[in-house]
Amino acid sequence: MNHAARPVPRLLILGGTTEARRLAADLVASPLAPQVTTSLAGRVAAPRLPAGDVRIGGFGGPEGLARWLREHAVDALIDATHPFAGTISHNAAVAAATAHVPLLAVRRPGWVPGPGDDWHQVASLDEAAAALPALGARVFLTTGRMGLAHFAHLTGLWFLVRSVDAPEPPHPPRMRTLLDRGPFTLDGERELLRRHHIDVLVTKDSGAAATAPKLTAAREAGIPVVLVRRPPAPEGVPVAADPAEAVDWVRRLFA
């Protein structure tokens, strides 16, 4: 008896993260062999490209994303963006509901303080900036190049800013830029703190293992950490903690 061939599932991954690249590779190599397209925002000049098809650039809000899902007959949408990409996550939830497409969010677990950590958790970059003058004078700022305007008024502090691409104004007047991309080593982070006489670290709770050594180095050096809490995933959207859970979700969806 001849059976009709099962249609190939079409998946769209909103990516840019390590998890998104790993997920695309795992899905492309899986027995399901879906057609995988990863969408990158285009904010990094030379992004690391994932397996499968790639598109670069925005969609034009939730309406544009919903239209893209319909026009390309997408069967499932996976939001594997950075934990702080709140706008695109909101747009994904609205677009998936509008286009009647299943949606999964991939969110790596956040960091948890351990013995000896001196963490000051805040809700925003503005709160991080407000906390800094009481904690130190030489700041290691690892929140990305897009939010430097929140710290531009802190003229009395010195900043070491690490980002993949060079930041643009407005930014703090006393600032040195370090262009680099993780993963970072513990020895390297220790040396960075020592060489630049860093006395306070500012970071977002990205939860990434590739950038976690800075937290260990800060703990060892007795340096306080201002940690910006991540926004929650949109209400009602299922969450996978890693690519393996996301692959299982896809497998169950198209079983």
Side-chain angles (χ1 to χ4, degrees), residues 190-204:
R190 287 169 175 155
E191 173 61 18
L192 208 60
L193 298 183
R194 184 201 63 79
R195 186 188 329 135
H196 296 284
H197 307 287
I198 299 298
D199 56 13
V200 59
L201 165 68
V202 182
T203 191
K204 294 178 177 179

Side-chain angles (χ1 to χ4, degrees), residues 66-186:
R67 184 168 53 252
W68 200 95
L69 295 174
R70 288 191 295 261
E71 290 176 351
H72 292 80
V74 171
D75 297 299
L77 175 63
I78 302 177
D79 172 17
T81 56
H82 192 277
F84 283 83
T87 299
I88 187 60
S89 293
H90 167 77
N91 291 351
V94 174
T98 301
H100 304 290
V101 170
L103 169 64
L104 176 74
V106 180
R107 292 290 182 271
R108 64 181 82 121
W111 289 318
V112 178
D117 281 319
D118 180 14
W119 287 10
H120 302 257
Q121 299 194 37
V122 296
S124 66
L125 291 177
D126 284 332
E127 287 190 17
L132 279 179
L135 295 175
R138 296 183 64 84
V139 185
F140 185 22
L141 186 60
T142 64
T143 56
R145 65 187 178 92
M146 305 301 290
L148 295 186
H150 297 271
F151 303 89
H153 65 286
L154 296 174
T155 57
L157 306 184
W158 182 88
F159 289 82
L160 176 66
V161 173
R162 181 164 65 192
S163 64
V164 176
D165 294 320
E168 298 178 356
H171 52 62
R174 301 176 61 210
M175 181 184 83
R176 176 172 178 179
T177 302
L178 176 62
L179 300 183
D180 204 354
R181 189 200 306 254
F184 304 106
T185 66
L186 179 55

Side-chain angles (χ1 to χ4, degrees), residues 5-11 27 31-36 72-76 254:
R6 183 189 297 270
V8 176
R10 297 183 178 185
L11 309 180
L27 286 171
L32 190 62
Q35 179 180 324
V36 177
H72 292 80
V74 171
D75 297 299
F254 299 104

